[in-house]
């Protein structure tokens, strides 16, 4: 408990403290304890502070000498380090340590040559010390850096949440998601697949992205938009930073696309695209790592030239019509299986130009040739040996090879 402040003057306190210091070392344990009690009562200090004062660690007049190592680097070292740190776009201390030898000669050209001891001190600052030198200036520059497009906290307030079954009567309302090809690890650079599924027809488009980012998603959407046989009207995404950012916001706003999002950690809100993530991506490419940029180019050729035409034109799907609860179990009723192409042609919502282009594309396609093309493209993505090992493992498990596996049976569309 803090003692009440003493009414003694500063000079009287100093004289009293000096008198106590001269007597303190000569006393025994009980005598020192009684002196501490007297000092605490007279000066209003707590006991620990009184002990430090009697040992010369604190003083009333001048500041006591700070314990520990004294600062090694003079203010000019901090000035040079902070200046280079700011010019190099505020890198972390690990990167700052690596770039200082490269940047310092150019800094000296503009500001004059540093003396040899000072220069050695600048280059000799440790990584931990660089953290300490730049820490006060990080607070100063908070919020003033470049905008990266990641303002998800604002967009979460503006983008409405959509959950429950979709009630749409025309194509163009799509769910979007990304599939990671990191092989279970997020370290390093690897590929991702952008997946978009139309709710009305089940039409699905895929695009491979190298090093997932907001810009990569938008570039992928530019290419995906060209492959769509209908106009994009609605876009429903999850809450990932690759979607909730200002780059995508500007892209969707410019096209007047209605934007919604799912609830966090509720995958069933995006059941249609989550299902396609498995049937269209995982069953084709598996769960392994795709860590070379050349593989992404081969992936996109596979998606565009063979896989998406096969799935959208020749693989039927079923849509959920009714879902009821009967004696503690869900009973589901599906419609007649039909391909996404057939559903689009029967919808009556496409323009004559869109119908004509879709029919011309369908006439050029042959599902057998597409299946062969998938096998060739898989070898481009993974290499000959990897595809043969995958097919042999699948055959041992009693399943068909990867290219023919999707054509085995129609897949129902989830709610």
């Amino acid at each position: 408990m803090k003692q009440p402040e003493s009414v003694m003057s500063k000079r009287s306190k100093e004289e009293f403290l000096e008198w106590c210091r001269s007597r303190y070392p000569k006393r025994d344990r009980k005598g020192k304890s009684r002196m501490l009690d007297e000092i605490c009562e007279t000066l209003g200090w707590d006991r620990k502070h009184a002990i430090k004062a009697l040992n010369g660690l604190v003083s009333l007049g001048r500041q006591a000498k700070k314990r520990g190592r004294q600062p090694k680097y003079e203010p000019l070292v901090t000035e040079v380090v902070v200046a280079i740190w700011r010019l190099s776009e505020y890198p972390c201390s690990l990167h700052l340590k690596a770039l200082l030898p490269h940047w310092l000669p150019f800094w000296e050209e503009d500001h004059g040559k540093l003396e040899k001891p000072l220069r050695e001190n600048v280059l000799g600052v440790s990584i931990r010390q660089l953290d300490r030198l730049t820490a006060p200036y990080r607070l100063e520059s908070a919020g003033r850096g470049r905008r990266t497009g990641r303002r998800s906290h604002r967009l979460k307030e503006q983008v409405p949440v959509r959950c429950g079954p979709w009630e749409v009567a025309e194509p163009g309302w799509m769910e979007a998601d990304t599939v990671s090809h990191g092989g279970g690890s997020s370290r390093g650079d690897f590929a991702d697949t952008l997946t978009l599924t139309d709710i009305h027809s089940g039409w699905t488009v895929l695009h491979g992205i190298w090093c997932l980012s907001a810009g990569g998603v938008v570039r992928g959407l530019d290419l995906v938009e060209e492959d769509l046989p209908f106009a994009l009207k609605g876009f429903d995404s999850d809450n990932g930073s690759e979607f909730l950012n200002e780059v995508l916001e500007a892209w969707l706003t410019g096209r007047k696309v209605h934007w919604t999002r799912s609830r966090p950690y509720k995958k069933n809100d995006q059941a249609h695209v989550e299902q396609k993530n498995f049937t269209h991506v995982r069953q084709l490419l598996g769960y392994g790592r795709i860590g070379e940029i050349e593989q992404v180019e081969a992936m996109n050729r596979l998606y565009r030239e063979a896989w998406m035409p096969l799935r959208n034109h020749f693989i039927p799907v079923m849509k959920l019509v009714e879902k009821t609860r009967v004696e503690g179990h869900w009973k589901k009723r599906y419609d007649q299986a039909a391909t996404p192409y057939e559903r689009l042609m029967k919808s009556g919502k496409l323009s004559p130009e869109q119908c004509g282009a879709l029919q011309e594309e369908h006439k050029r396609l042959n599902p057998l040739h597409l299946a062969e093309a998938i096998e060739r493209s898989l070898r481009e993505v993974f290499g000959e040996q990897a595809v043969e090992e995958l097919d042999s493992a699948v055959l041992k498990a009693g399943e068909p090879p990867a290219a023919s596996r999707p054509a085995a049976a129609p897949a129902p569309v989830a709610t």
Side-chain angles (χ1 to χ4, degrees):
M1 181 177 177
K2 188 176 179 181
Q3 299 290 335
E5 195 68 29
S6 173
V7 294
M8 295 174 63
S9 67
K10 185 177 180 180
R11 183 177 180 81
S12 299
K13 288 181 181 180
E14 290 177 352
E15 291 174 352
F16 175 68
L17 184 59
E18 289 300 326
W19 177 72
C20 292
R21 280 177 179 165
S22 64
R23 298 167 57 207
Y24 184 70
K26 302 175 184 178
R27 293 200 168 197
D28 58 9
R29 186 180 182 88
K30 290 184 178 179
K32 288 180 178 180
S33 180
R34 286 194 299 270
M35 181 174 284
L36 286 172
D37 292 338
E38 184 181 355
I39 291 173
C40 292
E41 185 178 348
T42 304
L43 299 180
W45 292 349
D46 60 33
R47 203 171 185 82
K48 288 294 183 183
H49 187 76
I51 294 172
K52 292 178 182 178
L54 288 172
N55 288 321
L57 299 178
V58 294
S59 174
L60 291 171
R62 54 185 173 77
Q63 187 71 24
K65 184 178 179 181
K66 186 178 179 181
R67 291 188 295 176
R69 290 180 58 181
Q70 298 303 307
K72 176 181 177 181
Y73 302 107
E74 56 185 285
L76 191 54
V77 173
T78 303
E79 182 182 334
V80 174
V81 168
V82 171
I84 294 177
W85 174 66
R86 283 172 170 163
L87 292 170
S88 57
E89 297 293 339
Y90 308 97
C92 68
S93 56
L94 189 66
H95 291 173
L96 181 59
K97 177 70 175 177
L99 66 82
L100 275 175
H102 303 289
W103 284 62
L104 190 57
F106 297 100
W107 191 91
E108 288 179 315
E109 288 181 8
D110 292 344
H111 299 84
K113 197 77 173 176
L114 298 178
E115 296 181 3
K116 186 176 179 181
L118 180 60
R119 195 174 196 279
E120 290 176 350
N121 275 344
V122 171
L123 296 177
V125 182
S126 68
I127 293 173
R128 293 293 185 189
Q129 188 63 22
L130 287 173
D131 268 336
R132 299 184 190 101
L133 293 180
T134 57
Y137 304 93
R138 290 196 198 105
L139 297 175
E140 188 179 291
S141 60
R144 297 176 60 187
R146 293 182 179 175
R147 297 171 73 179
T148 61
R150 295 184 62 179
R151 295 286 299 280
S152 62
H153 62 281
R154 175 182 66 81
L155 293 173
K156 283 180 180 177
E157 296 176 358
Q158 295 185 358
V159 180
V161 173
R162 187 209 60 80
C163 57
W166 280 82
E167 300 293 342
V168 294
E170 59 180 347
W173 299 83
M174 308 194 78
E175 288 180 357
D177 198 9
T178 55
V179 181
S180 170
H181 298 291
S185 171
S186 60
R187 297 181 62 182
D189 298 336
F190 54 87
D192 287 80
T193 292
L194 173 65
T195 311
L196 281 88
T197 299
D198 178 53
I199 304 303
H200 182 73
S201 63
W203 189 277
T204 300
V205 287
L206 308 168
H207 182 77
I209 299 173
W210 178 249
C211 295
L212 186 63
S213 64
V217 169
V218 168
R219 287 192 295 272
L221 287 174
D222 283 331
L223 298 174
V224 163
E225 192 179 29
E226 296 175 4
D227 294 333
L228 287 177
F230 44 79
L232 181 62
K233 298 180 177 67
F235 185 88
D236 184 75
S237 65
D238 59 22
N239 296 273
S241 59
E242 70 272 19
F243 292 121
L244 291 187
N245 56 74
E246 293 176 350
V247 179
L248 182 60
E249 179 187 25
W251 192 90
L252 294 173
T253 303
R255 289 161 175 76
K256 297 181 179 179
V257 175
H258 182 66
W259 188 12
T260 58
R261 63 185 178 92
S262 63
R263 294 172 294 175
Y265 311 110
K266 300 290 185 181
K267 287 186 176 291
N268 280 348
D269 288 353
Q270 287 197 303
H272 301 83
V273 72
E274 290 289 350
Q275 183 198 51
K276 297 301 185 290
N277 285 342
F278 178 71
T279 60
H280 286 55
V281 182
R282 291 302 187 195
Q283 284 190 336
L284 177 70
L285 301 178
Y287 294 84
R289 187 177 182 88
I290 298 179
E292 300 293 335
I293 194 168
E294 294 80 9
Q295 291 178 282
V296 180
E297 298 173 2
M299 276 172 55
N300 283 326
R301 285 195 297 272
L302 166 61
Y303 288 154
R304 186 175 55 255
E305 297 174 6
W307 186 243
M308 289 192 300
L310 179 70
R311 300 293 311 200
N312 289 326
H313 286 265
F314 299 104
I315 305 298
V317 296
M318 295 186 295
K319 289 187 66 176
L320 184 66
V321 175
E322 186 181 14
K323 181 179 178 182
T324 55
R325 187 87 168 174
V326 179
E327 296 180 353
H329 298 280
W330 286 107
K331 186 176 181 181
K332 300 177 183 180
R333 185 169 63 87
Y334 296 91
D335 66 358
Q336 185 68 33
T339 65
Y341 165 77
E342 292 171 334
R343 293 181 185 276
L344 283 178
M345 297 303 294
K346 293 177 182 178
S347 67
K349 301 294 182 179
L350 300 183
S351 67
E353 295 79 11
Q354 291 172 330
C355 287
L358 198 56
Q359 287 174 335
E360 287 296 322
E361 180 186 2
H362 187 75
K363 289 177 182 178
R364 294 194 301 267
L365 299 176
N366 183 319
L368 299 181
H369 295 169
L370 291 175
E372 294 171 359
I374 290 169
E375 282 293 333
R376 292 193 300 269
S377 298
L378 282 173
R379 282 169 167 75
E380 291 181 15
V381 176
F382 296 108
E384 289 281 345
Q385 184 177 357
V387 174
E388 289 175 1
E389 291 176 356
L390 175 63
D391 284 346
S392 63
V394 170
L395 287 172
K396 286 180 182 178
E399 297 181 13
S404 59
R405 201 180 312 145
V413 176
T415 56

